[in-house]
Amino acid sequence: MPSLQAFQHVLERIAEEIERTPGRGRAADYIPALAALDPRRFGMAVCEPDGTVYGVGEWRQPFSAQSVTKVFTLALDLAGEGDALWEHVGREPSGNPFNSLVQLEYENGIPRNPFINAGALVVTDRLHTRTGHAAETLLEFLRAESGNPELAFDLDVAASETVHGDRNAALAHLMASYGNIDNPVPVLLEEYFRQCSIEASCADLALATGFLARHGLRADGTRLLTRSQAKQVNAVMLTCGTYDAAGDFAYRVGLPGKSGVGGGIVAVVPGRCTLCVWSPGLDERGNSVAGVAALDRFTTLTGLSVF
């Protein structure tokens, strides 16, 4: 295992290697604010359980967190309702694209896992039922855990996703027809799109994910999740966090991780550190090309893995 100071050297080496790597994928083209981003931009941060953060590149640059936020809504809802959540969403890889409707029809409106869009909609719906303001609850949590009170929604991105939100609306309506959505679909979609629009940096998200490295403890020492629940979230991240590329991600990286089409990926080494990497160029499955490569190199260089 590296010394704490060695993390900075590892990050700098990774950044140099990524800079020389051709082919970075392409930015998400269905959200205009993301489509214009240069796919060669790159930032990476590592956070120790005590909150010490190391970074390289554009690690302080805010970006659209998108589906990375699903980790936090899952944790917040699981903390509130416990195992009852799993009656409404599964824990298995889907094997299909993140916005697929295919399985919902023959699985009676129960999504395969909380990280595909259908499952995330269910989690956000349940969090909204319990709190009355799912997106605001999430934002307050991220501000507290990152120590950054400036975190905010990007309402232009949320509006853009609303315009292009027909498939998410279809998912929500189909699940509602099976009784698996509590709130009016338009209300749920507004909360969901605002949730995904939150802008945060690699440093912010590495810090905010720290409770998973601390086995459920928040930054202030209070407990959000039991050790068992933290294990559950990490396990679902490992098997489902990068959509239908989760097997390849586990093979290459060997860490629980969650990606977003904004180009961000968070990853967890339980008991040791959390990471966030950002590069907007995506592969065909919606995962950051440089981000996956950087995390692959991190685990190879440091020997830090859950395996």
Side-chain angles (χ1 to χ4, degrees):
M1 288 188 181
S3 65
L4 303 189
Q5 293 78 11
F7 275 138
Q8 189 63 45
H9 175 71
V10 169
L11 293 180
E12 289 169 0
R13 179 173 172 181
I14 291 170
E16 291 172 0
E17 293 180 8
I18 294 296
E19 180 62 28
R20 296 193 299 267
T21 303
R24 298 282 191 89
R26 54 186 298 179
D29 56 10
Y30 65 94
I31 303 173
L34 303 183
L37 292 173
D38 180 356
R40 296 192 63 82
R41 298 180 71 176
F42 177 81
M44 188 172 184
V46 179
C47 181
E48 296 286 333
D50 66 1
T52 303
V53 187
Y54 306 84
V56 71
E58 297 184 73
W59 66 297
R60 296 285 189 185
Q61 171 64 43
F63 62 89
S64 189
Q66 294 294 314
S67 290
V68 171
T69 60
K70 296 173 184 178
V71 171
F72 307 106
T73 51
L74 172 61
L76 288 167
D77 191 71
L78 187 61
E81 68 170 315
D83 286 346
L85 170 63
W86 303 120
E87 298 173 13
H88 301 270
V89 61
R91 301 186 294 271
E92 296 294 336
S94 71
N96 285 312
F98 61 83
N99 58 357
S100 173
L101 289 91
V102 173
Q103 289 164 333
L104 284 176
E105 177 72 35
Y106 59 83
E107 294 184 348
N108 300 314
I110 305 296
R112 279 287 180 96
N113 66 71
F115 294 146
I116 56 175
N117 285 16
L121 284 162
V122 167
V123 173
T124 298
D125 177 66
R126 300 189 68 75
L127 183 62
H128 190 67
T129 296
R130 287 195 310 101
T131 65
H133 46 89
E136 291 289 345
T137 298
L138 169 64
L139 183 61
E140 291 167 8
F141 176 82
L142 292 176
R143 285 173 171 172
E145 296 305 291
S146 68
N148 183 359
E150 302 302 316
L151 295 185
F153 304 114
D154 185 330
L155 297 182
D156 289 337
V157 169
S160 179
E161 293 193 67
T162 299
V163 170
H164 297 86
D166 290 340
R167 184 172 288 265
N168 284 316
L171 290 167
H173 281 294
L174 182 57
M175 291 187 292
S177 75
Y178 285 99
N180 201 23
I181 295 294
D182 293 334
N183 295 283
V185 169
V187 172
L188 168 58
L189 292 175
E190 181 180 3
E191 293 294 314
Y192 180 71
F193 293 139
R194 286 206 303 154
Q195 164 191 323
C196 291
S197 79
I198 291 174
E199 282 201 324
S201 69
C202 290
D204 294 326
L205 292 172
L207 282 161
T209 312
F211 70 95
L212 291 174
R214 294 186 293 268
H215 308 292
L217 292 179
R218 295 186 60 167
D220 64 3
T222 61
R223 183 164 290 282
L224 175 69
L225 301 175
T226 65
R227 289 183 68 97
S228 179
Q229 288 173 328
K231 178 196 71 175
Q232 291 168 5
V233 174
N234 281 326
V236 178
M237 288 173 68
L238 179 69
T239 58
C240 308
T242 47
Y243 311 119
D244 51 335
D248 186 62
F249 186 83
Y251 176 85
R252 291 182 61 186
V253 176
L255 294 176
K258 181 71 198 83
S259 62
V261 297
I265 307 175
V266 294
V268 183
V269 185
R272 192 70 176 91
C273 65
T274 51
L275 304 99
C276 182
V277 60
W278 172 64
S279 186
L282 310 178
D283 61 22
E284 67 279 2
R285 291 170 172 174
N287 299 313
S288 171
V289 173
V292 174
L295 291 169
D296 182 357
R297 290 299 291 150
F298 179 85
T299 54
T300 299
L301 292 170
T302 63
L304 293 172
S305 170
V306 297
F307 300 112

